[in-house]
Amino acid sequence: MSGTLSLPNADGVVNAVESQSMDIEVPKNNGFGLWQWLFNWTSTSPTMLRAVEKKILSYLKLPYRGYFVDIGPAVGDTDKIWTVSMNTDSKEVPLVMLHGLGAGVALWVMNLDSFAKDRPVHAMDVLGFGRSSRPMFAKDALVCEKQFVKSVEEWRREMNINDMILLGHSMGGFIASSYALSYPERVRHLILADPWGFPEKPPDSTTTKQIPLWLRAIARVLTPLNPLWALRAAGPFGQWVVQKTRPDIMRKFQNTIEEDIQLLPQYIHQCNAQNPTGESAFHSMMQSFGWAKHPMIHRIKDVRSDIPITFIYGSRSWIDSSSGEKIKSQRGTSMVDIKIVTGAGHHVYADKPDVFNRYVNETCDIYKVSSSGGHLPHPTAVLQIPPDEEHELPNLNTAESVEIKTDGNVAEGATATTTTTVHEPSATTTTTPAVDLADVKRK
């Protein structure tokens, strides 16, 4: 599967060289050649990341479109957010997805087909991660958090999305919650999958006698470093580090990416071996890896009362799921639904994709347009809050002239399978080649 997007210049002539590189965000040179040296050492580049992402997404059954959304000077001078969209012709409320630390859009490969069957779906590489721009964030935790929120809002404005169902995993759940606090009118429902940064850090979390003194000393020394520093320090052996330290990642995706399971550690390496500005921003927001400096549990109660919240936790996750119960008691009559996926860990979307997909789809179906053209009852109807009016559809055609060219080839064996240990898989669909668009900028 391949495709190129060609945009004409002022004379109406397409530059073939430019069209081949338009869907790659090239990092800026800092003048000292530092990052060029690091690219050589880590064996990474935007081109390599693009290639491995395309291979993983080739296992999708439904067509998708990948493109940059130019959000202007949100954090840096000219920021762009890499976005994958599916089923954009649907009139349903769109589902927008925010990934966690060190991840990217391709890790949703076991979920996108199921979500996009009945509604528009947009998955983005959070600013500072994946193929999106990597600007330098502020060092202050709250300022940094607001910068993430601003990038999501500028993305929404450019996409012309009126309101959305917002799904965030781990760090993405923290950002999604902060976004709902700042822009409640844009969120129809908040879905938080094993969200990071909610509970307070226990006072004895680092002083327990069960942790050897030498280990506590090492942890203290390494605290100033970014969480994934070891992957970059390993240089060209970064992929090997991922394979050896996280073999479970490959097992999670082996039923879907049967032909080349090495794609997953390669993708994670490529996502995180580049300039880690998003990771540094996460480091600024965290008190230690498991806790945030400004826990969301003290603020989530202020999310507008008519915005329902659904928590989806893995029963075996290291994330403290008791935060969901505390928030449910704080929110009073506001809808707070808590779902526990048995046998799933922190990566609940990959551990039990069938169950996770069903829970998310059941939540999204609450807003499904009925046959008569109106919305089904809002989940907070008990509060006598009328449903929102039908939103204006997102407009992806922001370029004046767009020509999509494909080579007509469909990747052989590009099929997706799902685990069948718990629930019935969704109905199969005809395999269709995905179209990878290039840079979509503002007029």
Side-chain angles (χ1 to χ4, degrees):
M1 300 180 184
S2 64
T4 59
L5 183 76
S6 302
L7 300 178
N9 59 23
D11 299 322
V13 179
V14 174
N15 187 315
V17 176
E18 290 181 357
S19 69
Q20 292 175 1
S21 60
M22 287 173 66
D23 63 342
I24 297 175
E25 177 73 353
V26 179
K28 293 183 179 180
N29 193 323
N30 61 8
F32 297 97
L34 174 61
W35 285 113
Q36 183 177 358
W37 177 85
L38 284 176
F39 285 154
N40 292 334
W41 166 241
T42 58
S43 297
T44 185
S45 71
T47 302
M48 295 172 70
L49 176 57
R50 173 183 181 271
V52 68
E53 179 197 89
K54 285 175 66 99
K55 288 181 181 179
I56 295 175
L57 294 182
S58 71
Y59 288 89
L60 292 173
K61 293 182 178 180
L62 298 179
Y64 73 92
R65 289 189 279 184
Y67 50 95
F68 285 110
V69 176
D70 188 343
I71 63 172
V75 178
D77 295 332
T78 54
D79 294 329
K80 298 176 184 177
I81 291 183
W82 179 251
T83 306
V84 167
S85 297
M86 302 174 70
N87 195 12
T88 55
D89 292 333
S90 171
K91 295 183 179 180
E92 304 295 342
V93 178
L95 173 66
V96 175
M97 306 167 68
L98 306 179
H99 62 73
L101 175 70
V105 295
L107 293 188
W108 298 111
V109 66
M110 293 188 289
N111 317 109
L112 290 171
D113 278 329
S114 178
F115 296 162
K117 180 182 177 183
D118 297 316
R119 63 189 55 85
V121 172
H122 307 285
M124 72 173 76
D125 278 345
V126 175
L127 194 66
F129 294 92
R131 295 177 62 183
S132 292
S133 300
R134 299 189 175 227
M136 296 303 298
F137 289 79
K139 299 300 182 182
D140 179 82
L142 285 177
V143 175
C144 187
E145 177 185 326
K146 292 302 180 183
Q147 288 178 323
F148 277 123
V149 169
K150 181 181 179 181
S151 70
V152 175
E153 171 60 10
E154 292 301 317
W155 174 90
R156 182 205 64 79
R157 287 163 55 91
E158 289 300 316
M159 292 289 289
N160 197 23
I161 294 175
N162 188 52
D163 56 1
M164 56 192 165
I165 301 167
L166 190 55
L167 164 63
H169 170 253
S170 193
M171 180 197 73
F174 185 84
I175 296 172
S177 300
S178 184
Y179 180 88
L181 283 166
S182 298
Y183 301 97
E185 70 280 5
R186 303 303 181 186
V187 180
R188 292 289 291 272
H189 200 118
L190 192 59
I191 304 177
L192 305 175
D194 233 51
W196 171 86
F198 274 65
E200 268 192 323
K201 182 179 180 180
D204 60 347
S205 61
T206 58
T207 59
T208 176
K209 296 180 179 179
Q210 295 180 354
I211 302 177
L213 178 61
W214 65 269
L215 190 57
R216 278 182 277 163
I218 293 176
R220 183 177 295 274
V221 171
L222 297 181
T223 296
L225 302 177
N226 282 331
L228 302 176
W229 67 272
L231 184 150
R232 287 179 293 277
F237 303 103
Q239 180 177 335
W240 179 85
V241 170
V242 177
Q243 292 175 210
K244 294 301 180 183
T245 59
R246 294 300 305 271
D248 59 305
I249 293 292
M250 291 184 286
R251 290 196 297 269
K252 296 176 194 298
F253 291 84
Q254 65 184 0
N255 288 336
T256 299
I257 308 178
E258 297 174 329
E259 298 177 4
D260 190 359
I261 198 60
Q262 302 301 322
L263 287 174
L264 264 298
Q266 183 182 355
Y267 178 70
I268 293 173
H269 172 231
Q270 292 297 325
C271 280
N272 295 287
Q274 301 183 52
N275 191 1
T277 63
E279 186 183 332
S280 296
F282 174 83
H283 187 271
S284 297
M285 295 190 300
M286 74 180 198
Q287 186 172 1
S288 60
F289 185 79
W291 295 274
K293 289 180 180 176
H294 301 278
M296 192 57 65
I297 196 168
H298 298 312
R299 299 180 281 158
I300 196 73
K301 65 181 184 300
D302 297 324
V303 169
R304 205 170 69 185
S305 61
D306 62 326
I307 299 178
I309 302 175
T310 296
F311 289 92
I312 305 178
Y313 291 105
S315 66
R316 301 173 61 183
S317 174
W318 56 271
I319 292 287
D320 183 9
S321 62
S322 66
S323 297
E325 293 293 345
K326 294 177 183 178
I327 291 167
K328 187 172 184 178
S329 64
Q330 291 176 354
R331 299 270 291 168
T333 58
S334 299
M335 176 183 168
V336 177
D337 190 16
I338 301 173
K339 300 180 183 296
I340 306 295
V341 180
T342 303
H346 180 53
H347 295 275
V348 58
Y349 62 93
D351 288 328
K352 297 287 184 178
D354 287 348
V355 183
F356 180 79
N357 294 347
R358 181 170 66 85
Y359 284 158
V360 173
N361 281 328
E362 286 174 353
T363 300
C364 294
D365 285 346
I366 297 173
Y367 307 93
K368 201 167 185 178
V369 177
S370 65
S371 58
S372 61
H375 284 93
L376 293 179
H378 196 280
T380 54
V382 293
L383 301 178
Q384 302 300 316
I385 297 175
D388 294 341
E389 295 181 358
E390 184 173 335
H391 67 281
E392 184 178 357
L393 293 179
N395 178 18
L396 298 179
N397 299 319
T398 56
E400 293 185 0
S401 178
V402 176
E403 179 185 358
I404 302 174
K405 299 179 180 179
T406 64
D407 57 11
N409 295 325
V410 179
E412 296 182 0
T415 58
T417 59
T418 56
T419 55
T420 57
T421 55
V422 183
H423 295 280
E424 304 88 345
S426 58
T428 57
T429 56
T430 304
T431 303
T432 309
V435 180
D436 184 15
L437 295 188
D439 190 7
V440 176
K441 299 183 178 179
R442 291 179 290 186
K443 292 182 181 180

